[in-house]
Amino acid sequence: MWGIELQRKSEVPLKRQIYLALRDGILSGKLQAGEALPSTRELAHELKVSRNTVNEAYDMLLAEGYVWSRQGAATRVAEGLRLDKEPASEPPAQGEAPLSLLADFRTGHPDLRQFPRYVWQQLAQKTLQAMPPSLLGYTGPQGLPRLREEIAAWLYRSKGLTAMAQNIFITAGATHALHVIADLLYEEGKEILVEDPCNRGMMQTLHNKRYPLTPIPVDAMGLLPEYLDGKRACAVYVTPSHQFPLGGILPASRRAALIRYARETGSYIVEDDYDSEFRYYGDPVAPLYAMDPERVIYVGTFSKVLFPALRIGYAIVPDKLHGRWRQLRTHTDVQNPPFEQAIVAEFLHSRKFDRHIGKMKKLYRERRHALLTALKECFGDAWRPWGDAAGLHLAVEFPGMSFDDAFAQCGRQNGIRITPVEYHCIRKGAHVDKLLFGYGHLEPDEIDKGIVLLRDFMAQSRALPCIV
Amino acid sequence: MWGIELQRKSEVPLKRQIYLALRDGILSGKLQAGEALPSTRELAHELKVSRNTVNEAYDMLLAEGYVWSRQGAATRVAEGLRLDKEPASEPPAQGEAPLSLLADFRTGHPDLRQFPRYVWQQLAQKTLQAMPPSLLGYTGPQGLPRLREEIAAWLYRSKGLTAMAQNIFITAGATHALHVIADLLYEEGKEILVEDPCNRGMMQTLHNKRYPLTPIPVDAMGLLPEYLDGKRACAVYVTPSHQFPLGGILPASRRAALIRYARETGSYIVEDDYDSEFRYYGDPVAPLYAMDPERVIYVGTFSKVLFPALRIGYAIVPDKLHGRWRQLRTHTDVQNPPFEQAIVAEFLHSRKFDRHIGKMKKLYRERRHALLTALKECFGDAWRPWGDAAGLHLAVEFPGMSFDDAFAQCGRQNGIRITPVEYHCIRKGAHVDKLLFGYGHLEPDEIDKGIVLLRDFMAQSRALPCIV
């Protein structure tokens, strides 16, 4: 009756079911404008529900304007409600099913199996219990003061970097920091200078902000400052501690030239220090930030040290950008949630963070060694490593070889995930002979096995149908 | 000696202290290009440290290019490193110290004292223990599948809304959802139509995206669709369940007109359902989304139901925008952290969420009643409430009165936080006689006290020096 079929076992209350059925009838035109609904008594009787249930359904229709009624008269369908069905749109194309991988040299992934989950749980419990109710409310766009103080203390004890907690802004990771910085520095017609090659994800972030990107070439030691040119740049995005992806440490003279360029043009240097905690011979490289805290925006992240899903990073921001940063953050995603911030603060404060880094550094050094050994065994002298002994990946040159997207795709189809350096290049052609090996997340035997598979694949690949 | 003063009790290792002191000397020009550093033996002797410590400091300087050395010769300072000190910038102006408040009618704040923290802790503990390591890695820009399924189930049982989990995208709250949507729909020269009045924070979010905003007038029932005009709109931003700030429920005929407008112009409707869980007489209003899932982007949030710092909201997104949404999110802040998502999923699944809403609805209804009673006692018949009995705030008209920024500021100086509706208006003048009372976070006695203070303040305010 009236198109209403009640599901008595549903979690949707009966009154809502009645409301929904009548509303659908009205919108589809089955119940026409001006038509009288049955009296509540009548409908209640027919549907075998209480009259109150029908009354409530009618009240909902009335409150939302689907029907109208006058004292003592029938409830009638309102005017102008009929909506014809739009033709259904095409269902979205399903992404390809992921192929299973036999060797996975993706970059930038820490070994999550080693994460001290039990310690984290204990700190989480302690933090939750101690958290005052005020932290459940809006606590401001800059981040928890305690975390900012702990980060400042840690930067000082680990890298000798003096940064004030008041200049540290918590973000939802490094990508998010870059996203905020891009909005922060936006001026119509300005461009951003980036290293070439440069992390493709980060370039996409800037590209989405409608910035023109100008590539600055990179050699084995990093960005070549003699190519910095022009007055249209609002920022230079660099990875001076461990160039991504080639691995160089930017020499002091180039650092000084970069700072001079920024001062002369009034632009900023965005220093992405994405993995300098892991340096295997010698101490972490000193951040560029120390050379000019008024011109450098330093970006750090916990994704590589703790875990990627944490979504906590930070930026150290010059005074004059603070107000705009707060305003922007307030009107984009407001703030970071407080729990993770409080847990990370405790992790730092208790020095469990430092111990975790120490442990992982040892582990990753062994893995890097396993990678170099496996490459030597499988490729003899036909390769050479680039960059500093640091981070979670290694760029390797195979002189005379050429690697492109087709090679990577074909590798994928053969169960091998590996990235050519060309993937991260703006100007193509300068680094065709290099591949990137992410090793941080792999056990030594996974590395060995992977390199053997890669060698066999490279030997056959000329003959494979997927390489044209 | 050499400007090096070692702090032997510092957490900064001695080798780094030596490195830092020498580096500062080089950058400041105290150590000049070409100058020879002392031999490691000599410096170790003078500083009373092991020779190895000095060797490591020199290795750091060498790796970063501050010095160079040739086999058998002295280590010398590199060229071109001197950076003159930039004149220090002005310290940023300190914000005014917050005045203590005697009555705080700010809008949009739930009562955090009522949050079931113990239940939350239990679920957090359970969730942390059960979480597989894979959730610590990147889990994709759309959000945890389990949370999306629980939200779909909850929307169905609470509002009768049928939404597929595959169309739900988790965000870092409603502001963040709007931020993503603004980027998603951006086209050069397009504008967004907004209700007038409209939440000022949300307008700021759109304004930061460089969108022209066109105001559409609102009456007691919500947006007036006859003012929708032109072909330049890419979206209409509306609050149909409980217009912010005036409180109307958009009638069905206007909903149908809105949908027709969107279909005709190819624009989208952004439905912000910021507090419709709390409706005190009758059930939650049905979302506009149900009328056309291809044209409406529905935005929901947990900030008002759970707590603002949670930073979890969601959008229900038409199929054809999915790909772009994923791409955008990946390159802005990557994804939400997984813990809160998993905890909220469990909160929903266990129906503790539904119970919490039930409890808070009862409490907020009492507070709304307390507010109406206090207004009646203090202002007699000189006021009238606007809008539906819902949400955490009430718009009140005081015929013949006029409230502006100066009134709000003067109130603040007298310990009263209250917002004139004009604050949220684009075209000024249409709602000068209305004030907004946020009551959700206030106990009944705080409400009583606050209204008495407000009455006294209003009685005196003509004579107060802060009102011109």
Side-chain angles (χ1 to χ4, degrees), chain B residues 1 29 57 65 79 116 120-121 137-138 142 147 161 165 182 188 235 247 263 268 289 306 309 328 347 349 405 454:
Chain B
M1 188 58 194
E79 299 285 331
W120 186 265
Q121 270 176 36
Y138 297 109
Q142 192 167 358
L147 175 59
L161 183 69
E188 196 70 40
R263 287 181 181 176
Y268 288 91
Y289 174 82
L306 296 173
L328 268 175
F347 216 75
H349 181 74
D405 278 0
L454 179 71

Side-chain angles (χ1 to χ4, degrees), chain A residues 10-13 15-16 19-20 23 27 60 63-66 79-86 89-92 108-109 112 115 117 120-121 124-125 128-138 156-160 172 175-176 179 183 186 201 204-205 208-210 249-253 255-256 259-260 263 279 283-287 290-292 294-295 303-304 307-311 319 324 327-328 330-340 351, chain B residues 10-13 15-16 19-20 23 27 60 63-66 79-86 89-92 108-109 112 115 117 120-121 124-125 128-138 156-160 172 175-176 179 183 186 201 204-205 208-210 249-253 255-256 259-260 263 279 283-287 290-292 294-295 303-304 307-311 319 324 327-328 330-340 351:
Chain A
S10 164
E11 276 193 286
V12 179
K15 59 183 171 183
R16 187 169 282 279
Y19 157 84
L20 287 171
R23 192 192 64 176
L27 289 174
M60 285 159 77
E64 299 177 23
Y66 288 96
E79 298 285 332
L81 295 180
R82 183 170 169 176
L83 275 179
D84 295 320
K85 275 256 177 290
E86 283 269 274
S89 62
E90 299 270 312
H109 283 257
L112 302 177
F115 181 71
R117 173 197 290 253
W120 186 265
Q121 270 177 35
Q125 195 66 358
L128 274 169
Q129 277 162 9
M131 189 172 269
S134 61
L135 285 192
L136 301 176
Y138 297 108
Y156 184 64
R157 71 177 181 269
S158 68
K159 302 178 208 270
T175 304
H176 181 245
H179 167 74
D183 277 339
Y186 189 85
Q204 189 64 49
T205 296
N208 285 350
K209 295 281 156 192
R210 303 186 279 281
I249 300 176
L250 197 67
S253 56
R255 291 173 183 243
I259 299 283
R260 278 188 213 106
R263 287 181 182 175
R279 188 160 182 246
D283 272 29
V285 174
M291 287 172 93
D292 194 342
E294 295 293 314
R295 282 283 139 212
S303 296
K304 305 283 185 285
F307 53 94
L310 179 63
R311 309 319 308 147
D319 287 344
R324 175 104 179 103
Q327 202 267 4
L328 268 175
T330 300
H331 295 293
T332 54
D333 67 337
V334 186
Q335 63 170 71
N336 276 52
F339 295 124
E340 281 89 356
R351 305 292 190 268
Chain B
S10 165
E11 274 193 287
V12 179
K15 59 183 172 184
R16 187 170 281 281
Y19 156 85
L20 287 170
R23 193 193 64 176
L27 289 174
M60 286 159 75
E64 298 177 24
Y66 288 98
E79 299 285 331
L81 296 180
R82 182 169 169 177
L83 276 179
D84 294 320
K85 276 254 178 286
E86 283 268 272
S89 63
E90 300 269 312
H109 283 256
L112 301 178
F115 181 71
R117 173 198 290 253
W120 186 265
Q121 270 176 36
Q125 194 65 358
L128 274 170
Q129 276 162 10
M131 188 171 270
S134 62
L135 285 192
L136 301 176
Y138 297 109
Y156 185 64
R157 71 177 182 270
S158 67
K159 303 179 208 268
T175 303
H176 181 244
H179 166 73
D183 277 338
Y186 189 85
Q204 188 65 50
T205 295
N208 285 350
K209 297 278 156 193
R210 303 186 279 282
I249 300 177
L250 197 67
S253 57
R255 289 171 185 245
I259 300 281
R260 278 188 214 104
R263 287 181 181 176
R279 187 157 183 250
D283 272 30
V285 174
M291 288 172 92
D292 194 342
E294 296 292 315
R295 281 284 140 212
S303 297
K304 304 284 186 285
F307 53 94
L310 179 63
R311 308 320 307 146
D319 286 344
R324 176 103 178 104
Q327 201 265 5
L328 268 175
T330 300
H331 295 293
T332 52
D333 66 338
V334 186
Q335 63 170 69
N336 276 52
F339 296 123
E340 281 89 355
R351 305 291 189 268

Side-chain angles (χ1 to χ4, degrees), chain B residues 281-407:
Chain B
Y281 302 98
D283 272 30
V285 174
L288 186 59
Y289 174 82
M291 288 172 92
D292 194 342
E294 296 292 315
R295 281 284 140 212
V296 179
I297 305 174
Y298 175 93
V299 176
T301 176
F302 294 109
S303 297
K304 304 284 186 285
V305 178
L306 296 173
F307 53 94
L310 179 63
R311 308 320 307 146
I312 296 189
Y314 55 97
I316 317 180
V317 179
D319 286 344
K320 70 183 89 158
L321 300 175
H322 287 191
R324 176 103 178 104
W325 183 295
R326 287 202 194 89
Q327 201 265 5
L328 268 175
R329 187 81 204 270
T330 300
H331 295 293
T332 52
D333 66 338
V334 186
Q335 63 170 69
N336 276 52
F339 296 123
E340 281 89 355
Q341 291 188 74
I343 299 171
V344 173
E346 191 55 38
F347 216 75
L348 284 160
H349 181 74
S350 62
R351 305 291 189 268
K352 288 186 166 70
F353 187 81
D354 307 49
R355 284 198 284 283
H356 181 59
I357 288 183
K359 174 185 139 186
M360 296 311 287
K361 212 159 121 170
K362 187 162 170 293
L363 196 80
Y364 293 148
R365 178 166 46 210
E366 288 164 11
R367 291 176 180 185
R368 186 171 187 277
H369 183 73
L371 174 63
L372 292 169
T373 308
L375 284 165
K376 178 110 193 105
E377 275 175 21
C378 284
F379 293 98
D381 295 323
W383 63 286
R384 104 183 158 86
W386 273 56
D388 187 44
L392 306 174
H393 76 274
L394 176 69
V396 175
E397 178 182 343
F398 294 88
M401 300 285 290
S402 181
F403 308 105
D404 56 8
D405 278 0
F407 175 84

